[in-house]
Structures are given as structure tokens and as C-alpha cells.
Amino acid sequence: MRHSNGIRRAALATTAVTAVALAATGILPGTAMAASTTTSAPPPACPASALQVSARQAAHPPVGTGTGAAVVQFTNVSRKTCVLKGHPTVAGAGNGSPAHNTPLKVTPTGRAATVTVRPHGKAWVKLTFVQVQGEGDGYCVSGKTPAVYPTMVIGLPHSGKHQVALNDGWWAECDNKVTVTPVSAVKPS
């Protein structure tokens, strides 16, 4: 019987310590514990003013002589963490003005996920165009005339539209079509 009395005393001591701990935190024995009501809100969408946008030709474009593919980089230049999500809209800016743009038919690829962008952090999308063929003025396989733009207007859901030039030339494409990836935290090639 001594052995069971020792176990009973240990169990009573544990119960007493637990009751004191619960009382110290404001929870009395026999009452239900409430779930914590404090939750941190997710960061907001990056406003257009928080983003600096740049573009370069992709390292791995399709075969041809035009732009082929470009990587667009979004840098958070604000002091607050924000999020980007979704597939971009793309329009060629005629005469360098977003007011005179030509929306391209966008074909999204991949699944969009929320990308958290801390201050000075970056996120990317890749744009792949119907490639211009040939030399000089070039031609489109479809028979249409190639389009050349000094800038493109890249839009992101809830994060505005951004006019951006390529870092090494003009945007050239055929058929006013573009395939786009969703915003990614991984830099595409």
C-alpha cells in the first residue's frame, strides 16, 4: 500500500502545482481555456508606389531574333513588408506612353502563390513572347507584322501597373501574345 500512497501523493502534488499555475495565468480549475484572440494580420498587397520595376532579356529565350523572353523584377523599395500574387497583365506601350498601349493576349502558366517581399526584397515574373524571326525588320511565322515597343506596361493584381523598358533594347514580339509565369520568389532564367 505504501507504493500506491506515494503515487497518489505525487498525483495530488502535480494537480496542486497545475492549479496554482492556472490561477496565476487567470484560468481557474474547472473553467475552459479560451483560444487566443490575438492574430497577426498578413502583410498587405504591395502598392504600386512600393515597387521599383526593371526588365532584362531572359537567358533562355525561344529560337528567333526578337525579345523572345524577358524577366521582370519587382523590388520592394518601401520600409514595410508586403505581398505580391498572381499573373501579370502585359501591354505594349506605343510611343512610350501607357495611355497608348496595346494589351497583349496573356496565357498564364503555373499556379499563383502569395510571395512575401520584405523591404529591399525581390520577386519576379517571366514573359515569353511569340518570337520574331529573321534579320533586320524580321517577320512573324503567322504572316503578321512584328510589333516593337520602347516599353511595356506590366500590371499585377492589387499592385498597380508599371511601365518598364528592357535594360538592353526594345521589346519585339509577334501576334500580340505572351505567356506569363505567376509572381515568384525564385528568379527565373
Side-chain angles (χ1 to χ4, degrees):
M1 283 295 162
R2 273 178 153 225
H3 183 64
S4 65
N5 282 340
I7 293 173
R8 191 174 305 135
R9 271 186 263 157
L12 288 173
T14 301
T15 302
V17 170
T18 303
V20 170
L22 291 173
T25 60
I27 301 171
L28 300 174
T31 62
M33 292 187 353
S36 173
T37 56
T38 58
T39 59
S40 61
C46 297
S49 61
L51 299 173
Q52 182 180 52
V53 184
S54 61
R56 64 172 175 77
Q57 290 197 33
H60 302 288
V63 175
T65 55
T67 304
V71 175
V72 180
Q73 177 178 288
F74 299 89
T75 303
N76 181 355
V77 294
S78 76
R79 293 184 177 152
K80 296 182 179 179
T81 298
C82 55
V83 298
L84 296 173
K85 182 177 182 179
H87 291 86
T89 59
V90 182
N95 298 321
S97 169
H100 301 101
N101 66 38
T102 302
L104 275 60
K105 182 180 185 291
V106 172
T107 302
T109 62
R111 185 171 176 233
T114 301
V115 175
T116 301
V117 189
R118 290 182 169 71
H120 307 290
K122 297 171 178 24
W124 298 268
V125 296
K126 185 173 183 178
L127 313 176
T128 304
F129 300 93
V130 176
Q131 184 67 296
V132 175
Q133 305 296 315
E135 298 295 325
D137 291 339
Y139 67 94
C140 297
V141 172
S142 66
K144 293 184 179 178
T145 303
V148 179
Y149 302 101
T151 59
M152 286 281 181
V153 179
I154 313 297
L156 285 178
H158 311 291
S159 296
K161 293 182 178 180
H162 309 271
Q163 186 172 354
V164 62
L166 276 174
N167 67 349
D168 59 352
W170 286 36
W171 303 83
E173 57 85 23
C174 285
D175 305 336
N176 290 334
K177 295 179 185 177
V178 62
T179 301
V180 300
T181 65
V183 176
S184 174
V186 178
K187 186 177 182 178
S189 59

